Amino acid sequence: MSGVLAGKVFASCAANGDTLDGMSYKVPFKDIKFSVHNVLDAVNQLQAAGVEIDQDTFDSVLQGYGEFMEQAVAPINLEADLEGAKWADGEVTTPAGYKKAWEEFTEAGWNTIGHDEEFGGGGMPYTLSNAANEASAAASSAWSMYSGLTNGAIKALSSVGSDELKEKFVPKMVSGEWTGTMCLTEPQAGTDLGLLTTKAQPNDDGSYSISGNKIFISAGQHDFTDNIIHLVLARTPGAPEGTRGISLFVVPRNEVADDGSVGENNGVHCDGIEHKMGIHGSPTCQIRFENARGWLVGEENRGLPAMFVMMNHARIGTAMQGLSIADASSQLALDYSRERIQSKAPKSVRGDRPKGSDPIILQPDVRRMLLEQKAWVGGYRMLMHWITLQYDIAHGPNTSEEDRAKAEGFVELLTPIGKGFGTDVAVDVASLGVQIHGGMGYIHETGAELYLRDARILPIYEGTNGVQALDLIGRKIAGDGGERLKSFLALVRDNGSSAPEGFTSYGETLVGYADRLEKSVMESFSQAGENDVRVLAAATPVLRALGYLSFAHFWLLAAKAGLESSDADAEVAAKHVSLAKFFFEWLLPQAEPNFDFALASTDILMDDAAIAY
Amino acid sequence: MSGVLAGKVFASCAANGDTLDGMSYKVPFKDIKFSVHNVLDAVNQLQAAGVEIDQDTFDSVLQGYGEFMEQAVAPINLEADLEGAKWADGEVTTPAGYKKAWEEFTEAGWNTIGHDEEFGGGGMPYTLSNAANEASAAASSAWSMYSGLTNGAIKALSSVGSDELKEKFVPKMVSGEWTGTMCLTEPQAGTDLGLLTTKAQPNDDGSYSISGNKIFISAGQHDFTDNIIHLVLARTPGAPEGTRGISLFVVPRNEVADDGSVGENNGVHCDGIEHKMGIHGSPTCQIRFENARGWLVGEENRGLPAMFVMMNHARIGTAMQGLSIADASSQLALDYSRERIQSKAPKSVRGDRPKGSDPIILQPDVRRMLLEQKAWVGGYRMLMHWITLQYDIAHGPNTSEEDRAKAEGFVELLTPIGKGFGTDVAVDVASLGVQIHGGMGYIHETGAELYLRDARILPIYEGTNGVQALDLIGRKIAGDGGERLKSFLALVRDNGSSAPEGFTSYGETLVGYADRLEKSVMESFSQAGENDVRVLAAATPVLRALGYLSFAHFWLLAAKAGLESSDADAEVAAKHVSLAKFFFEWLLPQAEPNFDFALASTDILMDDAAIAY
């Protein structure tokens, strides 16, 4: 806590001897482990699927990664936001401490944990690398993007690239010697990638000359490494119009010789960076490719599916940023509410406290906000752990074809929930964090408003949340006639109908919501023939309904685990049982209106009279 | 639109020949007049109450004030945010253009319109000055605060100050030669003003020596004027503890001689300004009073009620900032959505448009967001117009004692709705404005994110929205045994049961919600004896339920006016009818969960297990 004012405010409220030092983020190891081990029994499920992992390894990697983020990254977050990344003459200088943290991070090998051993990675399951990754964006959302984008680029290259390209680029990206980007957006082509015009002209040697302007390229230029590997969408000559004529290329910023040494600039220029609301430490670059030499990744005109390997990874990463920021915001607000003395609490709550004002955590309305934060964060975490667990199961050598398809379907169905619903939740949670701080929440030195500014990009990038909703209802639900959805709802109903004592009525509510969701979705589909707006208009309400429902599903699982796990930390178990009740009583009813909205009048929605002048 | 990138994006989508120039806010004169004249019939009601005003005067003052804001203030808003107010050696420099705009504003006399003629004001009703004021914060929320605070200080001084103090300070504040502030908060005393420690030592000449440190003082120091008049809460020697020992003082920054000339510094020092999330053009000052000479305003130890004259004014002003920012955000998003070409719209919507992508306004999910903005803004506007109309009726010479009490009750009941519900709505609307812009919404030059940052303080200052909710359920509802609430609900039920054709089922819904709200409130009161958390926990849900209900009430009135007014602009009338339907179908169902929350388990809410470690 740097500022004079915050010092004064906190000094005035250090009633119980604790001190606050602002943004002292702590990795919630106990909560993470409760979710992974007690709620989801992940290690056993991974082992059954033939994925090599044991609980000790899991916990120790989690611990090491998390401690690194706490100690090396979290402390530089607030100052870095003020300083921001700076552009001059095509070069980008990152904020103080960023490069050093990157060097320490990569030297310790923490960025390698989730990557294949053949490229120098740790070969850990996604469930683990992802669970560990929570600490990264919580420590600094802006800083975490450099590794997040690099990881996505590695995934895309190693899934669809040729052996030669993999060998040339992937090991140095895994080691952190180079970083990666995804170059999709152009000024006229954002959501609508079919409009992009960047050109790829074939050269005689099998490479391509790439020319065009890309915008919104995160970590497109920086001072961490001596090369940056761009994955670029572009069109070859005579390619079909629209998305069917897009190919994916790998384009290093600097030339790479056969021995791997880095040469001259390869015609890749950073023309500027954006002045943004948040993630100031992450340069959002305008990148100009001028006859830059690149190589085709995967097949010609199949660039979009190839890029979607990276995009799906990035969507889960974005969802994780949401969880991370939400938790960090919640921690900060909880600390503050325990320390800040202001007004008297109700008698039944204050008990025999001495005369005078009380910590604001004893105020019911403040408690409501704190618990909303906690209940969102806890549900969000279990959802994300479960998605990545399903990913690992789908890829496990012992998984049957049937189970593989099912697990893959869950990943597909719930990724838009994590990204499209979760990041809206993250913005709300960060906004609550500001509100709990009162006036202190609006000033920079406290840190609460930084979380809100950093969170606000999450519903936008990697496909806006509106696009996530369309992906959900179109590709993911309608795409297989509702099979993935029904398969998930079957899990939910099983869970709801086997609720533990004290939770049976919540279980019934859950089953009821599952039924209503299925009905709303099917009803909207049945109207699609005569009304081509219906399903599009139902997308966001259905996303939200399934979002609430899936959070409630995991909270009910958490309540079971909390009541029944013999090896769980008692305090953590009790916390989860209590928060599960809170979610069902104080949050889940908000799902209700979405069933109405899913079928509300599209004539009214599309009436042009409402938007006259 | 200054930036290179925005130029590129907008150039790429100027399909219909229009151009966008970023933040080109236009005062919605037609909407304002429809609300005032057609929906609320305000001029006739004012005249019946004996308030002097006619429609021509109303419209021409509205027009002149609005045009000033459009032309002199709106164009400097975006740049001023980047520059911000700057502090050095106790002085504050305001952003480029701020001082000039203030001089033009006060020279034209626009700041005087709502003030009493005896102090040089225009003597216009609050209904008018407030309606006009919408343009001020829409043009620049930060700039509008200088006049907003000054107006509040004038109200407080002229209501409770002695004739001598009024004569000395008020005319120069009305003319804009001096500005005013409210100095309440101290590091340890925010919501809990009873904890404040600033001291007022009586001098022999009847004045007081004021010493203490205040924080969060908006416009506490600046370069507009040669004096600043602070209204300061402080304690006299031996004053009772808590809020019963607080007195109000007027403390000029500089000494004022008997002839009104400005002398030396009066022991009032600005020690710094905060680095905030938004309203960067408004300096949020730390003010140190060091034996500053001040005068008691009103009675000793009755400072809080005196300050509440200013506070109530400031709460309506804050609510208006919410409306203003929400409308400005909505205008920007609507313009962008008409210009931005991206993806194909559904066939039934795109009609015979040429092959290719369409403006995003034709996408159902974008339309939903745009209409949510519009429906919130329109309801918000009518609510605020009605509150100030009731204020004028309460103060009208021809108003009967019974009607006066009723009108005053409405102001008291609905001020926390305007402030406590409306500003939450404003944040949501501004966030939708960011979302509609996609990636462009997150970068500064577009302007959308500025509205969100500026809006985010509104639920915090002038009493957090949690405090507004407590004020509503405690003072405003429980305080008179529910009479004010019942009186308002009677209006709502009358309105609902006389709904025009096409709106009868909406009318029934409205009556149903009124009944449920009354029931929830009364049920929570009936539990108060055995559960002292119940009513405190119900405060925010009840605020939200009444918020939705009151917005719906005004939308139903608007639909009536739109269908029945013979002299209304046809397009504006049709727009209001259409948006009224949208509000009832697509927004009002969100009120639903609040009835559950109002009576949800307080044991779960206050369970300490949920906030363990």
Side-chain angles (χ1 to χ4, degrees):
Chain A
M1 180 66 59
S2 59
V4 175
L5 174 62
K8 281 185 196 164
V9 171
F10 290 138
S12 78
C13 58
N16 58 9
D18 290 349
T19 54
L20 281 174
D21 53 356
M23 306 203 76
S24 60
Y25 166 72
K26 298 288 173 213
V27 182
F29 291 116
K30 288 185 186 174
D31 289 334
I32 294 173
K33 289 185 207 165
F34 183 81
S35 165
V36 171
H37 301 318
N38 300 99
V39 181
L40 304 179
D41 191 26
V43 170
N44 284 329
Q45 289 204 53
L46 289 169
Q47 287 173 350
V51 179
E52 270 184 54
I53 188 71
D54 59 72
Q55 185 165 335
D56 284 350
T57 308
F58 197 106
D59 292 353
S60 69
V61 171
L62 186 71
Q63 189 80 25
Y65 188 100
E67 283 175 1
F68 176 83
M69 293 300 163
E70 276 182 11
Q71 290 158 19
V73 179
I76 60 177
N77 192 29
L78 196 53
E79 285 298 314
D81 172 69
L82 273 191
E83 186 183 349
K86 293 204 172 66
W87 178 92
D89 300 329
E91 300 293 331
V92 168
T93 311
T94 57
Y98 262 45
K99 185 179 159 79
K100 179 164 170 278
W102 179 261
E103 287 166 355
E104 290 171 5
F105 177 65
T106 53
E107 272 162 29
W110 289 122
N111 59 315
T112 71
I113 55 175
H115 297 299
D116 290 349
E117 286 165 296
E118 73 170 292
F119 302 119
M124 299 291 165
Y126 199 10
T127 311
L128 170 53
S129 64
N130 181 69
N133 188 39
E134 177 181 331
S136 174
S140 169
S141 194
W143 185 88
S144 78
M145 293 177 65
Y146 298 84
S147 61
L149 272 297
T150 303
N151 289 341
I154 292 169
K155 285 270 174 215
L157 264 178
S158 50
S159 325
V160 284
S162 66
D163 287 344
E164 200 183 343
L165 292 179
K166 282 189 220 178
E167 200 179 315
K168 186 165 186 176
F169 295 111
V170 175
K172 292 203 175 181
M173 295 168 77
V174 170
S175 71
E177 198 170 332
W178 299 340
T179 66
T181 77
M182 53 198 294
C183 297
L184 288 72
T185 306
E186 298 176 10
Q188 78 294 347
T191 295
D192 194 355
L193 286 171
L195 298 176
L196 68 83
T197 61
T198 293
K199 286 185 177 33
Q201 197 70 36
N203 300 322
D204 293 341
D205 64 354
S207 70
Y208 289 78
S209 281
I210 314 288
S211 295
N213 291 294
K214 296 286 180 179
I215 61 170
F216 295 161
I217 310 308
S218 297
Q221 178 69 305
H222 57 73
D223 54 11
F224 285 8
T225 56
D226 65 1
N227 210 353
I228 296 174
I229 311 306
H230 299 285
L231 289 183
V232 185
L233 291 182
R235 292 182 183 287
T236 52
E241 277 186 19
T243 53
R244 286 162 198 277
I246 297 175
S247 305
L248 180 64
F249 298 88
V250 57
V251 187
R253 184 192 63 191
N254 286 57
E255 290 170 6
V256 177
D258 288 342
D259 66 356
S261 63
V262 172
E264 293 298 297
N265 184 291
N266 178 34
V268 181
H269 308 284
C270 176
D271 287 342
I273 63 174
E274 307 306 332
H275 181 101
K276 307 186 300 294
M277 185 182 189
I279 47 168
H280 290 159
S282 169
T284 302
C285 302
Q286 301 170 32
I287 300 284
R288 175 168 43 90
F289 294 92
E290 224 174 76
N291 288 317
R293 196 162 171 234
W295 291 268
L296 187 65
V297 180
E299 293 173 42
E300 196 171 341
N301 296 331
R302 296 282 298 157
L304 217 53
M307 187 56 104
F308 258 88
V309 174
M310 178 159 189
M311 184 70 101
N312 283 329
H313 186 273
R315 285 177 177 177
I316 288 175
T318 302
M320 286 304 295
Q321 278 184 289
L323 165 62
S324 302
I325 296 177
D327 185 53
S329 164
S330 152
Q331 289 190 23
L332 195 68
L334 182 58
D335 282 351
Y336 185 75
S337 71
R338 283 182 171 138
E339 302 293 322
R340 177 69 171 163
I341 307 289
Q342 206 76 177
S343 303
K344 235 190 237 335
K347 271 187 196 161
S348 68
V349 177
R350 72 192 312 273
D352 54 3
R353 288 181 58 87
K355 195 167 172 283
S357 298
D358 298 311
I360 61 173
I361 196 172
L362 301 182
Q363 294 292 337
D365 199 60
V366 172
R367 187 71 71 104
R368 172 187 60 79
M369 294 191 278
L370 289 167
L371 295 196
E372 286 189 12
Q373 290 192 300
K374 290 273 166 229
W376 283 126
V377 167
Y380 203 163
R381 179 178 294 123
M382 293 183 277
L383 169 69
M384 298 312 301
H385 289 172
W386 192 75
I387 291 174
T388 49
L389 174 60
Q390 296 306 313
Y391 178 96
D392 285 332
I393 290 172
H395 291 77
N398 296 353
T399 304
S400 70
E401 189 49 35
E402 192 188 339
D403 287 351
R404 193 199 60 72
K406 208 166 160 183
E408 204 153 74
F410 290 147
V411 176
E412 289 161 353
L413 182 75
L414 291 172
T415 296
I417 297 298
K419 199 292 184 182
F421 180 73
T423 60
D424 277 352
V425 161
V427 172
D428 288 347
V429 169
S431 194
L432 284 168
V434 170
Q435 191 66 23
I436 292 164
H437 280 83
M440 291 299 294
Y442 199 64
I443 69 173
H444 184 269
E445 64 196 287
T446 311
E449 63 88 37
L450 171 57
Y451 292 132
L452 177 54
R453 286 187 291 107
D454 281 356
R456 191 59 192 82
I457 187 60
L458 305 178
I460 295 174
Y461 66 20
E462 310 308 344
T464 65
N465 286 359
V467 167
Q468 302 300 315
L470 294 173
D471 176 56
L472 174 70
I473 206 164
R475 281 194 209 97
K476 307 303 177 57
I477 301 181
D480 68 353
E483 281 312 308
R484 292 182 195 89
L485 177 67
K486 285 175 189 161
S487 168
F488 181 68
L489 293 181
L491 289 186
V492 172
R493 289 190 185 99
D494 280 355
N495 183 26
S497 52
S498 62
E501 212 187 304
F503 283 82
T504 49
S505 77
Y506 298 145
E508 285 162 22
T509 302
L510 193 58
V511 172
Y513 275 132
D515 294 344
R516 287 183 64 188
L517 176 63
E518 189 169 334
K519 213 176 133 192
S520 296
V521 168
M522 293 304 148
E523 176 62 26
S524 84
F525 288 168
S526 76
Q527 295 176 19
E530 61 203 23
N531 178 357
D532 65 358
V533 171
R534 163 54 67 221
V535 175
L536 302 174
T540 291
V542 166
L543 175 93
R544 289 181 184 161
L546 182 56
Y548 277 99
L549 184 65
S550 55
F551 275 55
H553 169 70
F554 290 108
W555 273 120
L556 188 56
L557 290 178
K560 274 184 204 173
L563 292 167
E564 295 165 9
S565 289
S566 53
D567 63 341
D569 178 290
E571 210 175 39
V572 174
K575 179 169 76 170
H576 279 79
V577 172
S578 184
L579 285 171
K581 290 182 191 162
F582 181 83
F583 190 88
F584 276 94
E585 292 275 339
W586 282 88
L587 289 178
L588 185 59
Q590 287 177 11
E592 192 75 31
N594 292 295
F595 300 105
D596 295 328
F597 298 145
L599 299 168
S601 164
T602 56
D603 289 346
I604 291 172
L605 183 69
M606 301 310 289
D607 183 2
D608 287 340
I611 48 160
Y613 87 91
Chain B
M1 182 62 58
S2 59
V4 174
L5 173 63
K8 281 184 196 163
V9 171
F10 290 139
S12 77
C13 59
N16 59 7
D18 290 348
T19 53
L20 281 175
D21 53 356
M23 305 203 78
S24 59
Y25 167 72
K26 298 290 172 212
V27 182
F29 290 117
K30 288 183 184 175
D31 289 335
I32 295 173
K33 288 185 207 167
F34 184 81
S35 165
V36 171
H37 301 319
N38 299 98
V39 181
L40 303 179
D41 192 25
V43 170
N44 284 329
Q45 288 204 57
L46 289 169
Q47 288 172 351
V51 178
E52 271 184 53
I53 190 68
D54 59 71
Q55 186 165 335
D56 284 350
T57 307
F58 197 106
D59 291 353
S60 69
V61 170
L62 187 70
Q63 190 80 25
Y65 188 100
E67 284 174 359
F68 176 84
M69 293 299 163
E70 275 182 12
Q71 291 158 19
V73 178
I76 60 177
N77 192 30
L78 196 53
E79 284 298 314
D81 171 69
L82 273 191
E83 187 183 349
K86 294 204 169 69
W87 178 92
D89 298 330
E91 301 294 330
V92 169
T93 311
T94 57
Y98 261 44
K99 184 177 159 81
K100 180 164 170 278
W102 179 260
E103 287 166 355
E104 290 171 5
F105 177 66
T106 53
E107 272 161 28
W110 289 123
N111 60 316
T112 72
I113 56 175
H115 297 299
D116 289 351
E117 286 167 296
E118 73 170 294
F119 302 119
M124 299 292 166
Y126 198 11
T127 312
L128 170 52
S129 64
N130 181 69
N133 188 39
E134 178 181 329
S136 175
S140 169
S141 194
W143 185 88
S144 78
M145 292 178 65
Y146 297 84
S147 61
L149 271 297
T150 304
N151 289 341
I154 292 169
K155 285 270 174 214
L157 264 178
S158 52
S159 324
V160 284
S162 67
D163 288 345
E164 201 184 340
L165 292 179
K166 284 190 220 177
E167 201 180 314
K168 188 166 184 177
F169 295 110
V170 176
K172 294 203 173 179
M173 294 167 78
V174 170
S175 71
E177 199 171 331
W178 299 339
T179 65
T181 77
M182 52 199 296
C183 298
L184 286 72
T185 306
E186 299 176 9
Q188 78 294 349
T191 297
D192 194 356
L193 286 171
L195 297 176
L196 70 81
T197 60
T198 294
K199 288 187 174 32
Q201 197 69 37
N203 301 323
D204 293 342
D205 64 356
S207 69
Y208 289 77
S209 282
I210 313 289
S211 296
N213 291 295
K214 296 286 181 178
I215 60 168
F216 295 161
I217 310 307
S218 297
Q221 177 70 303
H222 57 72
D223 54 11
F224 286 6
T225 56
D226 64 2
N227 211 352
I228 297 174
I229 311 306
H230 299 286
L231 290 183
V232 184
L233 292 182
R235 295 183 182 284
T236 53
E241 276 187 20
T243 55
R244 288 161 197 277
I246 297 175
S247 304
L248 179 64
F249 299 88
V250 56
V251 187
R253 183 192 62 191
N254 286 57
E255 289 170 5
V256 177
D258 288 342
D259 65 356
S261 63
V262 172
E264 294 298 297
N265 183 290
N266 178 34
V268 181
H269 309 285
C270 176
D271 287 340
I273 64 175
E274 306 307 330
H275 181 100
K276 307 187 300 295
M277 184 182 191
I279 51 168
H280 291 160
S282 170
T284 302
C285 303
Q286 301 170 33
I287 301 283
R288 174 169 42 93
F289 295 93
E290 223 174 75
N291 288 316
R293 199 163 169 232
W295 291 269
L296 187 66
V297 180
E299 292 172 44
E300 196 172 339
N301 296 332
R302 297 282 298 158
L304 216 53
M307 188 56 103
F308 258 88
V309 174
M310 178 159 189
M311 185 68 102
N312 283 328
H313 187 273
R315 286 176 176 178
I316 288 175
T318 301
M320 286 304 295
Q321 279 184 289
L323 166 61
S324 303
I325 295 176
D327 186 53
S329 163
S330 151
Q331 290 189 24
L332 195 68
L334 182 58
D335 283 352
Y336 185 76
S337 70
R338 284 182 170 137
E339 303 293 322
R340 176 69 171 163
I341 308 289
Q342 204 76 175
S343 304
K344 236 190 239 334
K347 272 187 193 160
S348 68
V349 177
R350 70 191 314 272
D352 53 4
R353 289 181 58 87
K355 194 167 172 282
S357 298
D358 299 309
I360 60 172
I361 195 172
L362 301 182
Q363 294 292 337
D365 199 60
V366 173
R367 189 70 70 101
R368 172 187 61 78
M369 293 191 278
L370 290 167
L371 295 195
E372 286 188 12
Q373 289 192 301
K374 291 275 168 227
W376 283 124
V377 167
Y380 203 164
R381 181 179 291 122
M382 295 184 275
L383 169 70
M384 297 313 299
H385 289 172
W386 192 75
I387 291 174
T388 50
L389 173 60
Q390 297 306 313
Y391 178 95
D392 285 333
I393 290 172
H395 291 78
N398 295 353
T399 304
S400 70
E401 188 48 36
E402 193 188 337
D403 287 350
R404 191 198 62 71
K406 207 166 159 181
E408 206 153 73
F410 290 146
V411 176
E412 289 161 352
L413 182 75
L414 291 172
T415 296
I417 297 298
K419 198 294 183 182
F421 179 73
T423 61
D424 277 351
V425 161
V427 172
D428 288 346
V429 169
S431 193
L432 284 167
V434 169
Q435 191 66 22
I436 292 165
H437 280 82
M440 292 297 293
Y442 198 66
I443 69 173
H444 184 269
E445 63 195 292
T446 311
E449 63 88 36
L450 172 56
Y451 292 133
L452 177 55
R453 286 187 291 108
D454 281 357
R456 191 60 191 82
I457 188 59
L458 305 177
I460 295 173
Y461 65 20
E462 311 307 344
T464 65
N465 286 359
V467 167
Q468 303 298 316
L470 294 173
D471 176 56
L472 175 70
I473 206 163
R475 283 195 208 95
K476 306 304 175 56
I477 301 183
D480 68 354
E483 280 313 307
R484 294 182 194 90
L485 177 67
K486 284 176 187 160
S487 171
F488 180 68
L489 293 181
L491 288 186
V492 172
R493 290 192 185 98
D494 281 356
N495 182 25
S497 52
S498 62
E501 212 187 303
F503 283 82
T504 48
S505 77
Y506 298 144
E508 285 162 21
T509 302
L510 193 58
V511 173
Y513 274 132
D515 294 345
R516 287 181 65 187
L517 176 63
E518 191 170 330
K519 214 176 131 191
S520 295
V521 169
M522 291 306 147
E523 176 62 25
S524 84
F525 288 168
S526 77
Q527 295 177 18
E530 62 203 24
N531 177 357
D532 65 358
V533 171
R534 163 55 66 219
V535 175
L536 301 173
T540 292
V542 165
L543 175 94
R544 289 181 183 162
L546 182 56
Y548 277 100
L549 184 66
S550 56
F551 274 54
H553 168 69
F554 289 108
W555 273 119
L556 188 57
L557 290 177
K560 274 185 203 173
L563 293 166
E564 294 165 10
S565 289
S566 53
D567 62 341
D569 178 290
E571 210 174 40
V572 175
K575 179 169 75 170
H576 279 79
V577 172
S578 182
L579 285 171
K581 289 181 192 163
F582 180 82
F583 191 88
F584 276 94
E585 292 274 341
W586 282 87
L587 290 178
L588 186 58
Q590 287 177 11
E592 194 73 33
N594 292 294
F595 300 106
D596 295 328
F597 299 144
L599 299 168
S601 163
T602 56
D603 289 345
I604 291 172
L605 183 69
M606 303 309 289
D607 182 2
D608 287 339
I611 49 161
Y613 85 89

